PDB file of all heavy atoms in Angstrom:
ATOM      1  N   VAL G  19      -3.718  48.128 -20.623  1.00 96.00           N
ATOM      2  CA  VAL G  19      -3.517  49.238 -19.695  1.00 96.00           C
ATOM      3  C   VAL G  19      -2.641  48.758 -18.539  1.00 96.00           C
ATOM      4  O   VAL G  19      -2.638  47.558 -18.218  1.00 96.00           O
ATOM      5  CB  VAL G  19      -4.881  49.772 -19.182  1.00 96.00           C
ATOM      6  CG1 VAL G  19      -5.598  48.727 -18.338  1.00 96.00           C
ATOM      7  CG2 VAL G  19      -4.723  51.074 -18.432  1.00 96.00           C
ATOM      8  N   GLN G  20      -1.923  49.662 -17.950  1.00 97.00           N
ATOM      9  CA  GLN G  20      -1.120  49.320 -16.779  1.00 97.00           C
ATOM     10  C   GLN G  20      -1.995  49.287 -15.527  1.00 97.00           C
ATOM     11  O   GLN G  20      -3.042  49.948 -15.469  1.00 97.00           O
ATOM     12  CB  GLN G  20       0.006  50.341 -16.589  1.00 97.00           C
ATOM     13  CG  GLN G  20       1.126  50.216 -17.624  1.00 97.00           C
ATOM     14  CD  GLN G  20       2.315  51.096 -17.285  1.00 97.00           C
ATOM     15  OE1 GLN G  20       2.168  52.163 -16.698  1.00 97.00           O
ATOM     16  NE2 GLN G  20       3.502  50.660 -17.672  1.00 97.00           N
ATOM     17  N   ALA G  21      -1.549  48.542 -14.559  1.00 97.00           N
ATOM     18  CA  ALA G  21      -2.258  48.475 -13.283  1.00 97.00           C
ATOM     19  C   ALA G  21      -2.437  49.881 -12.719  1.00 97.00           C
ATOM     20  O   ALA G  21      -1.514  50.709 -12.778  1.00 97.00           O
ATOM     21  CB  ALA G  21      -1.514  47.595 -12.303  1.00 97.00           C
ATOM     22  N   GLY G  22      -3.631  50.128 -12.212  1.00 97.00           N
ATOM     23  CA  GLY G  22      -3.958  51.449 -11.687  1.00 97.00           C
ATOM     24  C   GLY G  22      -4.610  52.362 -12.703  1.00 97.00           C
ATOM     25  O   GLY G  22      -5.121  53.430 -12.346  1.00 97.00           O
ATOM     26  N   GLY G  23      -4.591  51.940 -13.957  1.00 97.00           N
ATOM     27  CA  GLY G  23      -5.171  52.744 -15.011  1.00 97.00           C
ATOM     28  C   GLY G  23      -6.669  52.579 -15.142  1.00 97.00           C
ATOM     29  O   GLY G  23      -7.308  51.884 -14.331  1.00 97.00           O
ATOM     30  N   SER G  24      -7.215  53.221 -16.159  1.00 97.00           N
ATOM     31  CA  SER G  24      -8.662  53.213 -16.380  1.00 97.00           C
ATOM     32  C   SER G  24      -8.975  52.877 -17.830  1.00 97.00           C
ATOM     33  O   SER G  24      -8.185  53.142 -18.733  1.00 97.00           O
ATOM     34  CB  SER G  24      -9.255  54.590 -16.055  1.00 97.00           C
ATOM     35  OG  SER G  24      -9.072  54.928 -14.701  1.00 97.00           O
ATOM     36  N   LEU G  25     -10.140  52.285 -18.004  1.00 96.00           N
ATOM     37  CA  LEU G  25     -10.690  52.028 -19.333  1.00 96.00           C
ATOM     38  C   LEU G  25     -12.181  52.233 -19.281  1.00 96.00           C
ATOM     39  O   LEU G  25     -12.797  52.124 -18.218  1.00 96.00           O
ATOM     40  CB  LEU G  25     -10.399  50.588 -19.773  1.00 96.00           C
ATOM     41  CG  LEU G  25      -8.982  50.234 -20.194  1.00 96.00           C
ATOM     42  CD1 LEU G  25      -8.869  48.724 -20.401  1.00 96.00           C
ATOM     43  CD2 LEU G  25      -8.580  50.975 -21.449  1.00 96.00           C
ATOM     44  N   ARG G  26     -12.759  52.480 -20.439  1.00 96.00           N
ATOM     45  CA  ARG G  26     -14.216  52.641 -20.529  1.00 96.00           C
ATOM     46  C   ARG G  26     -14.734  51.853 -21.706  1.00 96.00           C
ATOM     47  O   ARG G  26     -14.230  51.946 -22.821  1.00 96.00           O
ATOM     48  CB  ARG G  26     -14.588  54.124 -20.703  1.00 96.00           C
ATOM     49  CG  ARG G  26     -16.078  54.388 -20.647  1.00 96.00           C
ATOM     50  CD  ARG G  26     -16.336  55.871 -20.702  1.00 96.00           C
ATOM     51  NE  ARG G  26     -17.722  56.223 -20.429  1.00 96.00           N
ATOM     52  CZ  ARG G  26     -18.543  56.784 -21.311  1.00 96.00           C
ATOM     53  NH1 ARG G  26     -18.100  57.024 -22.544  1.00 96.00           N
ATOM     54  NH2 ARG G  26     -19.783  57.095 -20.989  1.00 96.00           N
ATOM     55  N   PHE G  27     -15.735  51.053 -21.425  1.00 92.00           N
ATOM     56  CA  PHE G  27     -16.419  50.279 -22.442  1.00 92.00           C
ATOM     57  C   PHE G  27     -17.757  50.926 -22.785  1.00 92.00           C
ATOM     58  O   PHE G  27     -18.388  51.542 -21.926  1.00 92.00           O
ATOM     59  CB  PHE G  27     -16.763  48.879 -21.932  1.00 92.00           C
ATOM     60  CG  PHE G  27     -15.654  47.890 -21.968  1.00 92.00           C
ATOM     61  CD1 PHE G  27     -15.329  47.178 -20.840  1.00 92.00           C
ATOM     62  CD2 PHE G  27     -14.953  47.645 -23.140  1.00 92.00           C
ATOM     63  CE1 PHE G  27     -14.317  46.226 -20.863  1.00 92.00           C
ATOM     64  CE2 PHE G  27     -13.943  46.706 -23.170  1.00 92.00           C
ATOM     65  CZ  PHE G  27     -13.633  46.000 -22.030  1.00 92.00           C
ATOM     66  N   SER G  28     -18.169  50.728 -24.004  1.00 96.00           N
ATOM     67  CA  SER G  28     -19.548  51.014 -24.363  1.00 96.00           C
ATOM     68  C   SER G  28     -20.112  49.834 -25.146  1.00 96.00           C
ATOM     69  O   SER G  28     -19.359  49.082 -25.760  1.00 96.00           O
ATOM     70  CB  SER G  28     -19.662  52.298 -25.175  1.00 96.00           C
ATOM     71  OG  SER G  28     -18.991  52.165 -26.408  1.00 96.00           O
ATOM     72  N   CYS G  29     -21.403  49.684 -25.102  1.00 96.00           N
ATOM     73  CA  CYS G  29     -22.081  48.574 -25.785  1.00 96.00           C
ATOM     74  C   CYS G  29     -23.407  49.114 -26.301  1.00 96.00           C
ATOM     75  O   CYS G  29     -24.266  49.478 -25.499  1.00 96.00           O
ATOM     76  CB  CYS G  29     -22.284  47.422 -24.830  1.00 96.00           C
ATOM     77  SG  CYS G  29     -23.260  46.058 -25.485  1.00 96.00           S
ATOM     78  N   ALA G  30     -23.523  49.165 -27.611  1.00 95.00           N
ATOM     79  CA  ALA G  30     -24.720  49.730 -28.229  1.00 95.00           C
ATOM     80  C   ALA G  30     -25.616  48.630 -28.765  1.00 95.00           C
ATOM     81  O   ALA G  30     -25.146  47.711 -29.468  1.00 95.00           O
ATOM     82  CB  ALA G  30     -24.320  50.676 -29.355  1.00 95.00           C
ATOM     83  N   ALA G  31     -26.888  48.734 -28.450  1.00 94.00           N
ATOM     84  CA  ALA G  31     -27.872  47.774 -28.948  1.00 94.00           C
ATOM     85  C   ALA G  31     -28.445  48.256 -30.279  1.00 94.00           C
ATOM     86  O   ALA G  31     -28.534  49.458 -30.537  1.00 94.00           O
ATOM     87  CB  ALA G  31     -28.997  47.595 -27.935  1.00 94.00           C
ATOM     88  N   SER G  32     -28.840  47.305 -31.099  1.00 94.00           N
ATOM     89  CA  SER G  32     -29.306  47.631 -32.449  1.00 94.00           C
ATOM     90  C   SER G  32     -30.759  48.067 -32.491  1.00 94.00           C
ATOM     91  O   SER G  32     -31.263  48.457 -33.552  1.00 94.00           O
ATOM     92  CB  SER G  32     -29.123  46.415 -33.370  1.00 94.00           C
ATOM     93  OG  SER G  32     -29.873  45.316 -32.884  1.00 94.00           O
ATOM     94  N   ARG G  33     -31.447  48.000 -31.362  1.00 90.00           N
ATOM     95  CA  ARG G  33     -32.834  48.435 -31.317  1.00 90.00           C
ATOM     96  C   ARG G  33     -33.112  49.072 -29.967  1.00 90.00           C
ATOM     97  O   ARG G  33     -32.304  48.997 -29.063  1.00 90.00           O
ATOM     98  CB  ARG G  33     -33.776  47.260 -31.575  1.00 90.00           C
ATOM     99  CG  ARG G  33     -33.678  46.145 -30.561  1.00 90.00           C
ATOM    100  CD  ARG G  33     -34.888  45.235 -30.684  1.00 90.00           C
ATOM    101  NE  ARG G  33     -36.092  45.970 -30.380  1.00 90.00           N
ATOM    102  CZ  ARG G  33     -37.275  45.670 -30.938  1.00 90.00           C
ATOM    103  NH1 ARG G  33     -37.386  44.700 -31.817  1.00 90.00           N
ATOM    104  NH2 ARG G  33     -38.341  46.374 -30.608  1.00 90.00           N
ATOM    105  N   SER G  34     -34.272  49.676 -29.837  1.00 89.00           N
ATOM    106  CA  SER G  34     -34.629  50.316 -28.582  1.00 89.00           C
ATOM    107  C   SER G  34     -34.753  49.271 -27.478  1.00 89.00           C
ATOM    108  O   SER G  34     -35.378  48.223 -27.663  1.00 89.00           O
ATOM    109  CB  SER G  34     -35.953  51.059 -28.748  1.00 89.00           C
ATOM    110  OG  SER G  34     -35.810  52.123 -29.648  1.00 89.00           O
ATOM    111  N   ILE G  35     -34.141  49.593 -26.374  1.00 85.00           N
ATOM    112  CA  ILE G  35     -34.189  48.727 -25.195  1.00 85.00           C
ATOM    113  C   ILE G  35     -34.829  49.519 -24.071  1.00 85.00           C
ATOM    114  O   ILE G  35     -34.398  50.624 -23.771  1.00 85.00           O
ATOM    115  CB  ILE G  35     -32.776  48.280 -24.770  1.00 85.00           C
ATOM    116  CG1 ILE G  35     -32.091  47.524 -25.906  1.00 85.00           C
ATOM    117  CG2 ILE G  35     -32.841  47.423 -23.509  1.00 85.00           C
ATOM    118  CD1 ILE G  35     -32.736  46.210 -26.268  1.00 85.00           C
ATOM    119  N   TRP G  36     -35.874  48.957 -23.481  1.00 82.00           N
ATOM    120  CA  TRP G  36     -36.517  49.652 -22.378  1.00 82.00           C
ATOM    121  C   TRP G  36     -35.606  49.662 -21.156  1.00 82.00           C
ATOM    122  O   TRP G  36     -34.822  48.735 -20.942  1.00 82.00           O
ATOM    123  CB  TRP G  36     -37.842  48.965 -22.029  1.00 82.00           C
ATOM    124  CG  TRP G  36     -38.810  48.970 -23.145  1.00 82.00           C
ATOM    125  CD1 TRP G  36     -39.187  50.050 -23.912  1.00 82.00           C
ATOM    126  CD2 TRP G  36     -39.564  47.861 -23.649  1.00 82.00           C
ATOM    127  NE1 TRP G  36     -40.115  49.648 -24.847  1.00 82.00           N
ATOM    128  CE2 TRP G  36     -40.366  48.340 -24.702  1.00 82.00           C
ATOM    129  CE3 TRP G  36     -39.632  46.514 -23.294  1.00 82.00           C
ATOM    130  CZ2 TRP G  36     -41.231  47.494 -25.400  1.00 82.00           C
ATOM    131  CZ3 TRP G  36     -40.486  45.696 -23.987  1.00 82.00           C
ATOM    132  CH2 TRP G  36     -41.273  46.182 -25.039  1.00 82.00           C
ATOM    133  N   SER G  37     -35.768  50.670 -20.345  1.00 80.00           N
ATOM    134  CA  SER G  37     -34.909  50.779 -19.157  1.00 80.00           C
ATOM    135  C   SER G  37     -35.121  49.614 -18.192  1.00 80.00           C
ATOM    136  O   SER G  37     -34.246  49.296 -17.409  1.00 80.00           O
ATOM    137  CB  SER G  37     -35.157  52.111 -18.452  1.00 80.00           C
ATOM    138  OG  SER G  37     -36.485  52.175 -17.978  1.00 80.00           O
ATOM    139  N   ILE G  38     -36.292  48.980 -18.262  1.00 84.00           N
ATOM    140  CA  ILE G  38     -36.557  47.862 -17.367  1.00 84.00           C
ATOM    141  C   ILE G  38     -35.864  46.586 -17.825  1.00 84.00           C
ATOM    142  O   ILE G  38     -35.812  45.605 -17.092  1.00 84.00           O
ATOM    143  CB  ILE G  38     -38.065  47.590 -17.193  1.00 84.00           C
ATOM    144  CG1 ILE G  38     -38.701  47.203 -18.560  1.00 84.00           C
ATOM    145  CG2 ILE G  38     -38.753  48.779 -16.593  1.00 84.00           C
ATOM    146  CD1 ILE G  38     -40.144  46.716 -18.413  1.00 84.00           C
ATOM    147  N   ASN G  39     -35.360  46.592 -19.057  1.00 88.00           N
ATOM    148  CA  ASN G  39     -34.624  45.422 -19.525  1.00 88.00           C
ATOM    149  C   ASN G  39     -33.226  45.434 -18.929  1.00 88.00           C
ATOM    150  O   ASN G  39     -32.468  46.387 -19.135  1.00 88.00           O
ATOM    151  CB  ASN G  39     -34.533  45.412 -21.056  1.00 88.00           C
ATOM    152  CG  ASN G  39     -35.869  45.171 -21.708  1.00 88.00           C
ATOM    153  OD1 ASN G  39     -36.459  46.070 -22.281  1.00 88.00           O
ATOM    154  ND2 ASN G  39     -36.339  43.944 -21.609  1.00 88.00           N
ATOM    155  N   PRO G  40     -32.857  44.393 -18.216  1.00 93.00           N
ATOM    156  CA  PRO G  40     -31.526  44.367 -17.623  1.00 93.00           C
ATOM    157  C   PRO G  40     -30.423  44.382 -18.688  1.00 93.00           C
ATOM    158  O   PRO G  40     -30.520  43.686 -19.708  1.00 93.00           O
ATOM    159  CB  PRO G  40     -31.486  43.044 -16.855  1.00 93.00           C
ATOM    160  CG  PRO G  40     -32.923  42.687 -16.647  1.00 93.00           C
ATOM    161  CD  PRO G  40     -33.639  43.205 -17.860  1.00 93.00           C
ATOM    162  N   MET G  41     -29.433  45.182 -18.439  1.00 94.00           N
ATOM    163  CA  MET G  41     -28.211  45.160 -19.255  1.00 94.00           C
ATOM    164  C   MET G  41     -27.045  44.953 -18.313  1.00 94.00           C
ATOM    165  O   MET G  41     -27.098  45.356 -17.138  1.00 94.00           O
ATOM    166  CB  MET G  41     -28.037  46.466 -20.030  1.00 94.00           C
ATOM    167  CG  MET G  41     -29.168  46.772 -20.988  1.00 94.00           C
ATOM    168  SD  MET G  41     -28.855  48.196 -22.051  1.00 94.00           S
ATOM    169  CE  MET G  41     -27.788  47.456 -23.311  1.00 94.00           C
ATOM    170  N   GLY G  42     -25.996  44.336 -18.800  1.00 96.00           N
ATOM    171  CA  GLY G  42     -24.898  44.063 -17.896  1.00 96.00           C
ATOM    172  C   GLY G  42     -23.595  43.784 -18.591  1.00 96.00           C
ATOM    173  O   GLY G  42     -23.509  43.750 -19.828  1.00 96.00           O
ATOM    174  N   TRP G  43     -22.599  43.603 -17.769  1.00 97.00           N
ATOM    175  CA  TRP G  43     -21.256  43.253 -18.214  1.00 97.00           C
ATOM    176  C   TRP G  43     -20.806  42.006 -17.472  1.00 97.00           C
ATOM    177  O   TRP G  43     -21.004  41.894 -16.257  1.00 97.00           O
ATOM    178  CB  TRP G  43     -20.272  44.395 -17.951  1.00 97.00           C
ATOM    179  CG  TRP G  43     -20.522  45.593 -18.798  1.00 97.00           C
ATOM    180  CD1 TRP G  43     -21.301  46.674 -18.487  1.00 97.00           C
ATOM    181  CD2 TRP G  43     -20.033  45.830 -20.120  1.00 97.00           C
ATOM    182  NE1 TRP G  43     -21.297  47.571 -19.531  1.00 97.00           N
ATOM    183  CE2 TRP G  43     -20.536  47.073 -20.542  1.00 97.00           C
ATOM    184  CE3 TRP G  43     -19.202  45.110 -20.984  1.00 97.00           C
ATOM    185  CZ2 TRP G  43     -20.232  47.619 -21.794  1.00 97.00           C
ATOM    186  CZ3 TRP G  43     -18.903  45.652 -22.223  1.00 97.00           C
ATOM    187  CH2 TRP G  43     -19.417  46.890 -22.618  1.00 97.00           C
ATOM    188  N   TYR G  44     -20.195  41.099 -18.207  1.00 98.00           N
ATOM    189  CA  TYR G  44     -19.627  39.882 -17.657  1.00 98.00           C
ATOM    190  C   TYR G  44     -18.196  39.779 -18.179  1.00 98.00           C
ATOM    191  O   TYR G  44     -17.822  40.467 -19.131  1.00 98.00           O
ATOM    192  CB  TYR G  44     -20.440  38.656 -18.109  1.00 98.00           C
ATOM    193  CG  TYR G  44     -21.808  38.581 -17.468  1.00 98.00           C
ATOM    194  CD1 TYR G  44     -22.825  39.463 -17.822  1.00 98.00           C
ATOM    195  CD2 TYR G  44     -22.090  37.615 -16.496  1.00 98.00           C
ATOM    196  CE1 TYR G  44     -24.069  39.408 -17.222  1.00 98.00           C
ATOM    197  CE2 TYR G  44     -23.342  37.545 -15.904  1.00 98.00           C
ATOM    198  CZ  TYR G  44     -24.319  38.444 -16.271  1.00 98.00           C
ATOM    199  OH  TYR G  44     -25.560  38.376 -15.679  1.00 98.00           O
ATOM    200  N   ARG G  45     -17.425  38.920 -17.552  1.00 98.00           N
ATOM    201  CA  ARG G  45     -16.067  38.715 -18.024  1.00 98.00           C
ATOM    202  C   ARG G  45     -15.659  37.257 -17.863  1.00 98.00           C
ATOM    203  O   ARG G  45     -16.202  36.532 -17.023  1.00 98.00           O
ATOM    204  CB  ARG G  45     -15.072  39.616 -17.289  1.00 98.00           C
ATOM    205  CG  ARG G  45     -14.909  39.305 -15.806  1.00 98.00           C
ATOM    206  CD  ARG G  45     -14.041  40.373 -15.143  1.00 98.00           C
ATOM    207  NE  ARG G  45     -13.837  40.093 -13.724  1.00 98.00           N
ATOM    208  CZ  ARG G  45     -13.224  40.934 -12.896  1.00 98.00           C
ATOM    209  NH1 ARG G  45     -12.758  42.094 -13.330  1.00 98.00           N
ATOM    210  NH2 ARG G  45     -13.062  40.606 -11.621  1.00 98.00           N
ATOM    211  N   GLN G  46     -14.708  36.873 -18.692  1.00 98.00           N
ATOM    212  CA  GLN G  46     -14.200  35.505 -18.633  1.00 98.00           C
ATOM    213  C   GLN G  46     -12.696  35.532 -18.766  1.00 98.00           C
ATOM    214  O   GLN G  46     -12.162  35.959 -19.809  1.00 98.00           O
ATOM    215  CB  GLN G  46     -14.827  34.638 -19.732  1.00 98.00           C
ATOM    216  CG  GLN G  46     -14.475  33.179 -19.616  1.00 98.00           C
ATOM    217  CD  GLN G  46     -15.352  32.300 -20.496  1.00 98.00           C
ATOM    218  OE1 GLN G  46     -16.025  32.768 -21.407  1.00 98.00           O
ATOM    219  NE2 GLN G  46     -15.380  31.005 -20.206  1.00 98.00           N
ATOM    220  N   ALA G  47     -12.035  35.100 -17.720  1.00 95.00           N
ATOM    221  CA  ALA G  47     -10.576  35.016 -17.734  1.00 95.00           C
ATOM    222  C   ALA G  47     -10.171  33.637 -18.244  1.00 95.00           C
ATOM    223  O   ALA G  47     -10.965  32.685 -18.188  1.00 95.00           O
ATOM    224  CB  ALA G  47     -10.039  35.252 -16.327  1.00 95.00           C
ATOM    225  N   PRO G  48      -8.960  33.503 -18.739  1.00 91.00           N
ATOM    226  CA  PRO G  48      -8.512  32.204 -19.264  1.00 91.00           C
ATOM    227  C   PRO G  48      -8.643  31.102 -18.216  1.00 91.00           C
ATOM    228  O   PRO G  48      -8.223  31.261 -17.073  1.00 91.00           O
ATOM    229  CB  PRO G  48      -7.040  32.460 -19.610  1.00 91.00           C
ATOM    230  CG  PRO G  48      -6.965  33.916 -19.871  1.00 91.00           C
ATOM    231  CD  PRO G  48      -7.939  34.545 -18.918  1.00 91.00           C
ATOM    232  N   GLY G  49      -9.268  30.020 -18.617  1.00 93.00           N
ATOM    233  CA  GLY G  49      -9.421  28.875 -17.734  1.00 93.00           C
ATOM    234  C   GLY G  49     -10.483  29.025 -16.669  1.00 93.00           C
ATOM    235  O   GLY G  49     -10.628  28.153 -15.805  1.00 93.00           O
ATOM    236  N   LYS G  50     -11.240  30.112 -16.737  1.00 96.00           N
ATOM    237  CA  LYS G  50     -12.280  30.348 -15.729  1.00 96.00           C
ATOM    238  C   LYS G  50     -13.636  30.489 -16.393  1.00 96.00           C
ATOM    239  O   LYS G  50     -13.749  30.723 -17.591  1.00 96.00           O
ATOM    240  CB  LYS G  50     -11.955  31.595 -14.909  1.00 96.00           C
ATOM    241  CG  LYS G  50     -10.704  31.475 -14.063  1.00 96.00           C
ATOM    242  CD  LYS G  50     -10.544  32.693 -13.172  1.00 96.00           C
ATOM    243  CE  LYS G  50      -9.333  32.552 -12.270  1.00 96.00           C
ATOM    244  NZ  LYS G  50      -9.184  33.728 -11.353  1.00 96.00           N
TER     245      LYS G  50
END
């Protein structure tokens, strides 16, 4: 995407996850 644009991710779990179970997103850039 170009700078200023938007994207949307989704992540589906294979089983029921309670709302109290933390879910999150992480990222890793090259060399970091």
Side-chain angles (χ1 to χ4, degrees):
V19 65
Q20 288 188 328
S24 297
L25 286 172
R26 187 175 190 245
F27 279 128
S28 64
C29 174
S32 61
R33 62 164 297 150
S34 295
I35 301 294
W36 298 311
S37 63
I38 62 171
N39 291 108
M41 300 187 80
W43 292 92
Y44 290 71
R45 66 187 181 186
Q46 187 166 16
K50 295 186 177 182

